[in-house]
Amino acid sequence: MAAPRPGNWRKHIAWQLQHRDRYQKQHFEGLILSYNQLLEKSNIVQLWRDKCDPYTPSTPSPPPEPVNVAKLQSRHQEKLTKLYQANGELAQEVFELCKEHKCKEVELKVTQSRLSELEVKLGELEAEREGLQERIDVLEKANCTVKEEYDALQQVYRSQWEQLLKKEVEGSELIQNFIDIKAQAAKDLNYLNEKSKRVKQKNLEKDLAVVSNVPILMDTDAVRQAQNVSSEEAGQQETKIFRSPRSFRSTSFSLPIHPKFLQSFKGIFSRKRASTSFSEVDCSPISFCSVARVPARVRHSLEAHDGEVNAVRFSPSSKILATGGSDRKVKLWDIVGGTLQNVKTLEGSNDGVTSIEFDPSGLQILAGSYDNTARLWSLKNCELKHTLSGHSAKVTAAKFKFYFREAVTGSHDRTIKVWDLNKAACVKSIHVPSRCSDIVCSDYFIISGHCDKKIRLWDCRSGIKTDEIPLQGKVTSLDINSDRTQLLSCSRDDLLKVMDLRMNEARQELRAEGFKCGADWTKAIFSPDGNYAVAGSSDGVLYVWNTLTGNLETSLVGQHRSSINAVSWSLSGEYVVSVDRTKVANLWTDC
């Protein structure tokens, strides 16, 4: 603080006083603080002394008052009365507790008697349980015996089924050879019947030429035939030994005894088929099950393709699995020890695969594609045999007919085409009112499902519609049982229907809480024995229904995290495979 100027004397005096006060206070500040601390300590010592000597009065006490005996007696009497009252209350409580104790004893005796009865009954139940356990052991032994017998019968059935399959293939080849022989016989007989007419015509032309002395121009074929007349007449007697003199009729067939006929039979039984290791695996006997086993858990899960998996199908032998996806590939998988192992990859498609079908022999695969075509691969050498092109929109379904020399395709271009697989040519085209989503077929009929919520039945020979079944939603898939008497349909109204083809009416409607059809191409199929139907939901849950009762058998949660597109059940009844939009394929088993 600066000193004021000399002219302002009042401020100068105040400044000197403040300076003196500040200077003197510095000397006595420590002393004042020490004094205050001593006062505090003195007060604390005084308080501690009062607590240690409570009988030392700080002030003199007044003299005691005289004792009043009457008041003391009245107080004593009041206390005594309260004690008597409390004693009575306690006695009442003791009485009530004794009474309650007796009741508890009675209840204890009843409980003990009940316990003894239960112990006796428990002993009886234990004895009964032991008897039932012995009966279970006997039944298990009997079940093992029956299972062994069943396995033996199944083995016999498999061998007979293998023989039947071979006989069917041989029979189809024999039929084709017989047809060829019949055509050749008809051609020979027609030639023989027309030969005499040709000889007469040539003789007449010669006579006319001689009479009129006019040269007649003859075609080279006629001249050649006239020159060969003598040789033909010379061998006519030999020909009559082997040929029938009757004219050829299309409604009846008589086999001529001809050396070509014997050579054809020799060719049939001496023909050797080329086979590779892959075809040998798939041509093993078909493991057909009499009762399908409902799947319970995922045995193996993997990413099958590089994109969405649209189709899946087991081979007739149940040993090879085929999957098709949006990565333009058809992959073949072998089931080894309950796991899927990639064996081959069939390439050649220019766009994603929509459907897959094995032929009854398991040696060929037919696949539809988004590139408006269907392709046929041979599994003997895994090479592309034919490309069936002719549709103007994507092919949603491609199926073999029962005898696998023909195939049927359905497309979004509103046509169904029948193909001759030997010539790779379309032999019939059926125009339909709506886009086709799926088809099933036999030798004489075709059933198609459409986006206009209808199922249509077609005569395969005439291409005429024979019946029509309306539904409440777009048809996404069709499947037919092994007896070809029941049809399974799946539609976008989240409903599966089982229809009797003999009566053309719905037999069961399959619904489930939580089931939702996820796409226009979601597939539902029958089990091999036809007793169950299986389909995948949009949330990745697999639903299995009992087609006999119409009830939901089970719903299975696996590794799927998106909509399930297709499902396949092996003919052996052992495996079920489901595929979804996120490349995942799950292999399901019953244990």
Coordinates of all heavy atoms in Angstrom, one line a residue, residues 65-138:
E65 N -35.6 -35.9 51.4 CA -36.9 -35.7 51.9 C -37.3 -36.8 52.9 O -36.7 -37.9 52.8 CB -37.9 -35.7 50.7 CG -37.7 -34.5 49.8 CD -38.7 -34.5 48.7 OE1 -39.5 -35.4 48.6 OE2 -38.6 -33.5 47.8
P66 N -38.3 -36.7 53.7 CA -38.7 -37.8 54.6 C -39.4 -38.9 53.8 O -40.1 -38.6 52.8 CB -39.6 -37.1 55.6 CG -40.1 -35.9 54.9 CD -39.0 -35.4 54.0
V67 N -39.3 -40.2 54.2 CA -39.8 -41.4 53.5 C -41.3 -41.5 53.8 O -41.7 -41.5 55.0 CB -39.1 -42.7 53.9 CG1 -39.7 -43.9 53.2 CG2 -37.6 -42.6 53.5
N68 N -42.2 -41.8 52.7 CA -43.6 -41.9 52.9 C -43.9 -43.4 52.8 O -43.9 -44.0 51.7 CB -44.4 -41.1 51.8 CG -45.8 -41.0 52.1 OD1 -46.4 -41.8 53.0 ND2 -46.5 -40.1 51.4
V69 N -44.3 -44.1 53.8 CA -44.5 -45.6 53.9 C -45.8 -45.9 53.1 O -45.9 -47.0 52.5 CB -44.6 -46.0 55.4 CG1 -44.9 -47.5 55.4 CG2 -43.3 -45.7 56.1
A70 N -46.8 -45.2 53.2 CA -48.1 -45.5 52.5 C -47.9 -45.5 51.0 O -48.4 -46.4 50.3 CB -49.1 -44.4 52.9
K71 N -47.1 -44.6 50.5 CA -46.9 -44.6 49.1 C -46.1 -45.8 48.7 O -46.4 -46.4 47.6 CB -46.1 -43.3 48.7 CG -47.0 -42.1 48.7 CD -46.1 -40.9 48.3 CE -47.0 -39.6 48.3 NZ -46.2 -38.4 47.8
L72 N -45.1 -46.2 49.5 CA -44.4 -47.4 49.1 C -45.2 -48.6 49.1 O -45.1 -49.5 48.3 CB -43.2 -47.6 50.1 CG -42.1 -46.5 50.0 CD1 -41.1 -46.7 51.2 CD2 -41.4 -46.6 48.7
Q73 N -46.2 -48.8 50.1 CA -47.1 -49.9 50.1 C -48.0 -50.0 48.9 O -48.2 -51.1 48.3 CB -47.9 -49.9 51.4 CG -47.1 -50.2 52.7 CD -47.9 -50.1 53.9 OE1 -49.1 -49.7 53.9 NE2 -47.3 -50.5 55.1
S74 N -48.5 -48.8 48.6 CA -49.4 -48.8 47.4 C -48.6 -49.2 46.1 O -49.1 -50.0 45.3 CB -50.0 -47.4 47.2 OG -49.0 -46.5 47.0
R75 N -47.4 -48.7 46.0 CA -46.6 -49.1 44.8 C -46.4 -50.6 44.8 O -46.5 -51.3 43.8 CB -45.3 -48.3 44.8 CG -45.5 -46.9 44.5 CD -44.1 -46.2 44.6 NE -44.3 -44.7 44.4 CZ -43.2 -43.9 44.5 NH1 -42.0 -44.4 44.8 NH2 -43.5 -42.6 44.3
H76 N -46.0 -51.2 46.0 CA -45.8 -52.6 46.1 C -47.0 -53.4 45.7 O -46.9 -54.4 45.1 CB -45.3 -52.9 47.5 CG -45.0 -54.4 47.7 ND1 -43.9 -55.0 47.2 CD2 -45.7 -55.3 48.5 CE1 -44.0 -56.3 47.5 NE2 -45.0 -56.5 48.3
Q77 N -48.2 -52.9 46.2 CA -49.4 -53.6 45.9 C -49.7 -53.6 44.4 O -50.2 -54.6 43.8 CB -50.6 -53.0 46.7 CG -51.9 -53.8 46.6 CD -51.8 -55.1 47.3 OE1 -51.0 -55.3 48.3 NE2 -52.5 -56.1 46.8
E78 N -49.5 -52.5 43.8 CA -49.7 -52.4 42.3 C -48.8 -53.4 41.6 O -49.2 -54.1 40.6 CB -49.5 -51.0 41.8 CG -50.5 -50.0 42.3 CD -50.2 -48.6 41.9 OE1 -49.1 -48.4 41.3 OE2 -51.0 -47.7 42.1
K79 N -47.5 -53.4 42.0 CA -46.6 -54.4 41.4 C -47.0 -55.8 41.6 O -47.0 -56.7 40.6 CB -45.2 -54.2 41.9 CG -44.5 -52.9 41.5 CD -43.1 -52.7 42.0 CE -42.5 -51.4 41.6 NZ -41.1 -51.3 42.1
L80 N -47.5 -56.1 42.8 CA -47.9 -57.5 43.1 C -49.1 -57.9 42.2 O -49.2 -59.0 41.7 CB -48.3 -57.6 44.6 CG -48.5 -59.0 45.1 CD1 -47.3 -59.9 44.9 CD2 -48.9 -58.9 46.6
T81 N -50.1 -56.9 42.1 CA -51.3 -57.2 41.2 C -50.8 -57.5 39.8 O -51.4 -58.4 39.1 CB -52.2 -56.0 41.3 OG1 -52.5 -55.7 42.6 CG2 -53.5 -56.3 40.5
K82 N -49.9 -56.7 39.3 CA -49.5 -56.9 37.9 C -48.8 -58.3 37.8 O -48.9 -59.0 36.7 CB -48.5 -55.8 37.5 CG -49.2 -54.5 37.3 CD -48.1 -53.4 36.9 CE -48.8 -52.1 36.7 NZ -47.8 -51.0 36.3
L83 N -48.0 -58.7 38.8 CA -47.4 -60.0 38.8 C -48.4 -61.1 38.7 O -48.3 -62.1 38.0 CB -46.4 -60.2 39.9 CG -45.2 -59.3 39.9 CD1 -44.4 -59.5 41.2 CD2 -44.3 -59.7 38.7
Y84 N -49.5 -61.0 39.6 CA -50.5 -62.0 39.6 C -51.2 -62.1 38.3 O -51.5 -63.2 37.8 CB -51.6 -61.7 40.7 CG -51.1 -62.1 42.1 CD1 -51.5 -61.3 43.2 CD2 -50.2 -63.1 42.3 CE1 -51.1 -61.6 44.5 CE2 -49.8 -63.4 43.6 CZ -50.2 -62.6 44.7 OH -49.8 -62.9 45.9
Q85 N -51.5 -61.0 37.7 CA -52.1 -61.0 36.4 C -51.3 -61.6 35.3 O -51.7 -62.4 34.5 CB -52.4 -59.5 35.9 CG -53.3 -59.4 34.7 CD -53.6 -58.0 34.4 OE1 -53.2 -57.1 35.1 NE2 -54.3 -57.7 33.3
A86 N -50.0 -61.3 35.3 CA -49.0 -61.9 34.4 C -48.9 -63.4 34.6 O -48.9 -64.2 33.6 CB -47.7 -61.3 34.5
N87 N -49.0 -63.9 35.9 CA -48.9 -65.3 36.2 C -50.2 -66.0 35.6 O -50.1 -67.1 35.1 CB -48.8 -65.5 37.7 CG -48.5 -66.9 38.1 OD1 -48.1 -67.7 37.3 ND2 -48.8 -67.3 39.4
G88 N -51.3 -65.4 35.8 CA -52.5 -66.0 35.2 C -52.5 -66.2 33.7 O -52.9 -67.2 33.1
E89 N -52.0 -65.1 33.1 CA -51.9 -65.2 31.6 C -50.9 -66.3 31.2 O -51.2 -67.1 30.2 CB -51.4 -63.9 31.1 CG -52.4 -62.8 31.2 CD -51.9 -61.4 30.8 OE1 -50.7 -61.4 30.4 OE2 -52.7 -60.4 30.8
L90 N -49.8 -66.4 31.9 CA -48.9 -67.5 31.6 C -49.4 -68.9 31.8 O -49.2 -69.8 31.1 CB -47.6 -67.3 32.4 CG -46.7 -66.1 32.1 CD1 -45.6 -66.0 33.1 CD2 -46.2 -66.2 30.7
A91 N -50.2 -69.0 32.9 CA -50.9 -70.3 33.2 C -51.8 -70.7 32.0 O -51.9 -71.8 31.6 CB -51.6 -70.3 34.5
Q92 N -52.6 -69.7 31.5 CA -53.5 -69.9 30.4 C -52.7 -70.3 29.2 O -53.1 -71.3 28.5 CB -54.3 -68.6 30.1 CG -55.3 -68.8 29.0 CD -56.5 -69.7 29.4 OE1 -56.8 -69.9 30.6 NE2 -57.0 -70.4 28.4
E93 N -51.6 -69.7 28.9 CA -50.8 -70.1 27.8 C -50.3 -71.5 27.9 O -50.2 -72.3 27.0 CB -49.7 -69.1 27.6 CG -50.1 -67.7 27.1 CD -48.9 -66.8 27.0 OE1 -47.8 -67.3 27.2 OE2 -49.1 -65.6 26.6
V94 N -49.9 -71.9 29.2 CA -49.4 -73.2 29.4 C -50.5 -74.2 29.1 O -50.2 -75.3 28.5 CB -48.8 -73.3 30.8 CG1 -48.6 -74.8 31.2 CG2 -47.6 -72.5 31.0
F95 N -51.7 -73.9 29.5 CA -52.8 -74.9 29.3 C -53.1 -75.0 27.8 O -53.3 -76.2 27.3 CB -54.1 -74.3 30.0 CG -55.3 -75.1 29.8 CD1 -55.5 -76.3 30.4 CD2 -56.3 -74.7 28.9 CE1 -56.6 -77.1 30.2 CE2 -57.4 -75.4 28.7 CZ -57.6 -76.6 29.3
E96 N -53.1 -73.9 27.1 CA -53.3 -74.0 25.7 C -52.2 -74.8 25.0 O -52.4 -75.6 24.0 CB -53.4 -72.6 25.1 CG -54.7 -71.9 25.5 CD -54.8 -70.5 25.0 OE1 -53.8 -70.1 24.4 OE2 -55.8 -69.8 25.2
L97 N -51.0 -74.6 25.4 CA -49.8 -75.3 24.8 C -49.9 -76.8 25.1 O -49.6 -77.6 24.2 CB -48.5 -74.7 25.3 CG -48.1 -73.3 24.8 CD1 -46.9 -72.8 25.5 CD2 -47.9 -73.3 23.3
C98 N -50.4 -77.1 26.3 CA -50.5 -78.6 26.6 C -51.6 -79.2 25.7 O -51.5 -80.3 25.2 CB -50.9 -78.7 28.1 SG -49.6 -78.4 29.2
K99 N -52.7 -78.5 25.5 CA -53.7 -79.0 24.7 C -53.2 -79.1 23.2 O -53.5 -80.2 22.6 CB -54.9 -78.0 24.7 CG -56.1 -78.5 24.0 CD -57.3 -77.4 24.1 CE -58.5 -77.9 23.4 NZ -59.6 -76.9 23.5
E100 N -52.5 -78.2 22.8 CA -52.0 -78.2 21.4 C -51.0 -79.4 21.3 O -50.9 -80.1 20.3 CB -51.3 -76.9 21.1 CG -50.8 -76.8 19.6 CD -50.2 -75.5 19.3 OE1 -50.3 -74.6 20.2 OE2 -49.7 -75.3 18.1
H101 N -50.2 -79.6 22.4 CA -49.2 -80.7 22.4 C -49.9 -82.1 22.2 O -49.5 -82.9 21.5 CB -48.4 -80.7 23.7 CG -47.5 -81.8 23.8 ND1 -46.4 -81.9 23.0 CD2 -47.5 -82.8 24.7 CE1 -45.7 -83.0 23.4 NE2 -46.4 -83.6 24.4
K102 N -51.1 -82.2 22.9 CA -51.8 -83.5 22.8 C -52.3 -83.7 21.4 O -52.3 -84.8 20.9 CB -53.0 -83.5 23.8 CG -52.6 -83.6 25.3 CD -53.8 -83.5 26.2 CE -53.3 -83.6 27.7 NZ -54.5 -83.6 28.6
C103 N -52.8 -82.6 20.8 CA -53.3 -82.7 19.4 C -52.1 -83.1 18.5 O -52.3 -83.9 17.5 CB -53.9 -81.4 18.9 SG -55.4 -80.9 19.8
K104 N -51.0 -82.5 18.7 CA -49.8 -82.8 17.8 C -49.4 -84.3 18.0 O -49.0 -85.0 17.1 CB -48.6 -81.9 18.2 CG -48.9 -80.4 17.8 CD -49.0 -80.2 16.3 CE -49.1 -78.8 16.0 NZ -49.2 -78.6 14.5
E105 N -49.5 -84.8 19.3 CA -49.2 -86.2 19.5 C -50.1 -87.1 18.7 O -49.7 -88.1 18.1 CB -49.2 -86.5 21.0 CG -48.1 -85.9 21.8 CD -48.1 -86.3 23.2 OE1 -49.2 -86.8 23.7 OE2 -47.2 -86.1 24.0
V106 N -51.4 -86.8 18.7 CA -52.4 -87.6 18.0 C -52.1 -87.5 16.5 O -52.1 -88.6 15.8 CB -53.8 -87.0 18.2 CG1 -54.8 -87.7 17.3 CG2 -54.2 -87.2 19.7
E107 N -51.8 -86.3 16.0 CA -51.4 -86.2 14.5 C -50.1 -87.0 14.3 O -50.0 -87.6 13.2 CB -51.2 -84.8 14.2 CG -52.5 -83.9 14.2 CD -52.2 -82.5 13.8 OE1 -51.0 -82.1 13.6 OE2 -53.2 -81.7 13.8
L108 N -49.2 -87.0 15.2 CA -47.9 -87.7 15.0 C -48.2 -89.2 14.9 O -47.6 -89.9 14.1 CB -47.0 -87.4 16.2 CG -45.6 -88.2 16.1 CD1 -44.9 -87.8 14.8 CD2 -44.8 -87.8 17.3
K109 N -49.1 -89.7 15.8 CA -49.5 -91.1 15.7 C -50.1 -91.5 14.3 O -49.8 -92.5 13.7 CB -50.4 -91.5 16.8 CG -49.7 -91.5 18.2 CD -50.8 -91.8 19.3 CE -50.1 -91.8 20.7 NZ -51.1 -92.1 21.8
V110 N -51.0 -90.6 13.9 CA -51.7 -90.8 12.6 C -50.6 -90.8 11.4 O -50.6 -91.7 10.5 CB -52.8 -89.8 12.3 CG1 -53.3 -89.9 10.9 CG2 -53.9 -89.9 13.3
T111 N -49.7 -89.9 11.5 CA -48.7 -89.8 10.5 C -47.7 -91.0 10.5 O -47.4 -91.5 9.4 CB -47.8 -88.5 10.7 OG1 -48.7 -87.4 10.7 CG2 -46.8 -88.3 9.6
Q112 N -47.4 -91.5 11.7 CA -46.6 -92.7 11.8 C -47.3 -93.9 11.2 O -46.7 -94.7 10.5 CB -46.2 -92.9 13.3 CG -45.2 -91.9 13.8 CD -44.9 -92.1 15.3 OE1 -45.5 -92.9 15.9 NE2 -43.8 -91.4 15.8
S113 N -48.6 -94.0 11.5 CA -49.4 -95.1 10.9 C -49.4 -95.0 9.4 O -49.3 -96.0 8.7 CB -50.8 -95.2 11.5 OG -51.5 -94.0 11.2
R114 N -49.6 -93.8 8.9 CA -49.7 -93.6 7.5 C -48.3 -93.9 6.9 O -48.2 -94.5 5.8 CB -50.0 -92.1 7.2 CG -50.0 -91.7 5.7 CD -51.1 -92.4 5.0 NE -51.1 -91.9 3.6 CZ -51.8 -92.5 2.6 NH1 -52.5 -93.6 2.9 NH2 -51.8 -92.0 1.4
L115 N -47.2 -93.5 7.6 CA -45.9 -93.8 7.1 C -45.6 -95.3 7.0 O -45.0 -95.8 6.1 CB -44.9 -93.1 8.0 CG -43.4 -93.3 7.6 CD1 -43.1 -92.6 6.3 CD2 -42.5 -92.6 8.7
S116 N -46.1 -96.0 8.0 CA -45.9 -97.5 8.0 C -46.6 -98.1 6.8 O -46.1 -99.0 6.1 CB -46.3 -98.1 9.3 OG -47.7 -97.8 9.5
E117 N -47.9 -97.6 6.5 CA -48.6 -98.1 5.4 C -47.9 -97.8 4.1 O -47.9 -98.6 3.2 CB -50.0 -97.4 5.4 CG -50.9 -97.9 6.5 CD -52.3 -97.2 6.5 OE1 -52.5 -96.3 5.6 OE2 -53.1 -97.5 7.4
L118 N -47.4 -96.5 4.0 CA -46.7 -96.2 2.8 C -45.4 -97.0 2.6 O -45.0 -97.3 1.4 CB -46.3 -94.7 2.8 CG -47.5 -93.7 2.7 CD1 -47.0 -92.3 2.8 CD2 -48.2 -93.9 1.3
E119 N -44.8 -97.3 3.7 CA -43.6 -98.2 3.6 C -43.9 -99.6 3.1 O -43.2 -100.1 2.2 CB -42.9 -98.3 5.0 CG -42.2 -97.0 5.4 CD -41.5 -97.1 6.7 OE1 -41.8 -98.1 7.4 OE2 -40.8 -96.2 7.1
V120 N -45.1 -100.1 3.6 CA -45.5 -101.4 3.1 C -45.8 -101.3 1.6 O -45.5 -102.2 0.8 CB -46.8 -101.8 3.9 CG1 -47.3 -103.1 3.3 CG2 -46.4 -102.1 5.3
K121 N -46.6 -100.2 1.2 CA -46.9 -100.0 -0.2 C -45.7 -99.8 -1.1 O -45.6 -100.3 -2.2 CB -47.8 -98.8 -0.4 CG -48.4 -98.7 -1.7 CD -49.5 -97.6 -1.8 CE -50.1 -97.5 -3.2 NZ -51.1 -96.4 -3.2
L122 N -44.7 -99.1 -0.5 CA -43.4 -98.9 -1.2 C -42.7 -100.2 -1.5 O -42.2 -100.5 -2.6 CB -42.5 -98.0 -0.4 CG -41.1 -97.7 -1.0 CD1 -41.3 -97.0 -2.4 CD2 -40.3 -96.9 -0.1
G123 N -42.7 -101.1 -0.5 CA -42.2 -102.4 -0.7 C -42.9 -103.2 -1.8 O -42.2 -103.9 -2.6
E124 N -44.2 -103.1 -1.8 CA -45.0 -103.8 -2.9 C -44.6 -103.2 -4.3 O -44.4 -104.0 -5.2 CB -46.5 -103.7 -2.6 CG -46.9 -104.4 -1.4 CD -48.4 -104.1 -1.1 OE1 -49.0 -103.3 -1.8 OE2 -48.9 -104.7 -0.1
L125 N -44.5 -101.9 -4.3 CA -44.1 -101.3 -5.6 C -42.7 -101.6 -6.0 O -42.5 -101.8 -7.2 CB -44.3 -99.7 -5.5 CG -45.7 -99.2 -5.3 CD1 -45.7 -97.7 -5.1 CD2 -46.6 -99.5 -6.5
E126 N -41.8 -101.7 -5.1 CA -40.5 -102.2 -5.4 C -40.5 -103.6 -6.0 O -39.8 -103.8 -7.0 CB -39.6 -102.1 -4.2 CG -39.2 -100.7 -3.7 CD -38.2 -100.1 -4.7 OE1 -37.5 -100.8 -5.4 OE2 -38.1 -98.9 -4.7
A127 N -41.3 -104.4 -5.4 CA -41.4 -105.8 -5.9 C -42.0 -105.8 -7.3 O -41.5 -106.5 -8.2 CB -42.2 -106.7 -5.0
E128 N -43.0 -104.9 -7.5 CA -43.6 -104.8 -8.8 C -42.6 -104.3 -9.9 O -42.6 -104.7 -11.0 CB -44.9 -104.0 -8.8 CG -45.7 -103.9 -10.1 CD -46.9 -103.1 -9.9 OE1 -47.2 -102.6 -8.8 OE2 -47.6 -102.9 -10.9
R129 N -41.8 -103.3 -9.4 CA -40.9 -102.7 -10.3 C -39.8 -103.7 -10.7 O -39.4 -103.8 -11.9 CB -40.2 -101.5 -9.7 CG -39.2 -100.7 -10.6 CD -38.4 -99.7 -9.8 NE -37.5 -100.3 -8.9 CZ -36.3 -100.8 -9.2 NH1 -35.9 -100.7 -10.5 NH2 -35.5 -101.4 -8.3
E130 N -39.4 -104.5 -9.8 CA -38.4 -105.6 -10.2 C -39.0 -106.6 -11.2 O -38.4 -107.0 -12.1 CB -38.0 -106.3 -8.9 CG -37.2 -105.5 -7.9 CD -36.8 -106.2 -6.7 OE1 -37.3 -107.4 -6.5 OE2 -36.1 -105.6 -5.8
G131 N -40.3 -106.9 -11.0 CA -41.0 -107.8 -11.9 C -41.1 -107.1 -13.3 O -40.8 -107.8 -14.4
L132 N -41.4 -105.8 -13.4 CA -41.5 -105.1 -14.6 C -40.1 -105.0 -15.3 O -40.0 -105.1 -16.5 CB -42.1 -103.7 -14.4 CG -43.5 -103.7 -14.1 CD1 -44.0 -102.2 -13.8 CD2 -44.4 -104.2 -15.2
Q133 N -39.1 -104.8 -14.5 CA -37.7 -104.8 -15.0 C -37.3 -106.1 -15.6 O -36.7 -106.2 -16.7 CB -36.7 -104.4 -13.9 CG -35.3 -104.2 -14.4 CD -35.2 -103.0 -15.3 OE1 -35.9 -102.0 -15.1 NE2 -34.4 -103.1 -16.4
E134 N -37.7 -107.2 -15.0 CA -37.4 -108.5 -15.5 C -38.2 -108.7 -16.9 O -37.7 -109.2 -17.8 CB -37.8 -109.6 -14.6 CG -37.0 -109.6 -13.3 CD -37.5 -110.7 -12.3 OE1 -38.5 -111.3 -12.6 OE2 -36.8 -110.9 -11.3
R135 N -39.4 -108.2 -16.9 CA -40.2 -108.3 -18.1 C -39.6 -107.5 -19.2 O -39.6 -107.9 -20.4 CB -41.6 -107.8 -17.9 CG -42.6 -108.0 -19.0 CD -44.0 -107.6 -18.7 NE -44.9 -107.7 -19.8 CZ -46.2 -107.3 -19.8 NH1 -46.7 -106.8 -18.7 NH2 -46.9 -107.5 -20.9
I136 N -39.1 -106.3 -18.9 CA -38.4 -105.4 -19.9 C -37.2 -106.1 -20.4 O -36.9 -106.1 -21.6 CB -38.0 -104.1 -19.2 CG1 -39.3 -103.2 -19.0 CG2 -37.0 -103.3 -20.1 CD1 -39.0 -102.0 -18.2
D137 N -36.4 -106.8 -19.6 CA -35.3 -107.5 -20.0 C -35.7 -108.6 -21.0 O -35.0 -108.8 -22.1 CB -34.5 -108.1 -18.8 CG -33.9 -107.0 -17.9 OD1 -33.7 -105.9 -18.4 OD2 -33.7 -107.3 -16.7
V138 N -36.8 -109.3 -20.7 CA -37.2 -110.4 -21.6 C -37.6 -109.8 -22.9 O -37.3 -110.3 -24.0 CB -38.4 -111.1 -20.9 CG1 -39.0 -112.1 -21.9 CG2 -37.9 -111.9 -19.7

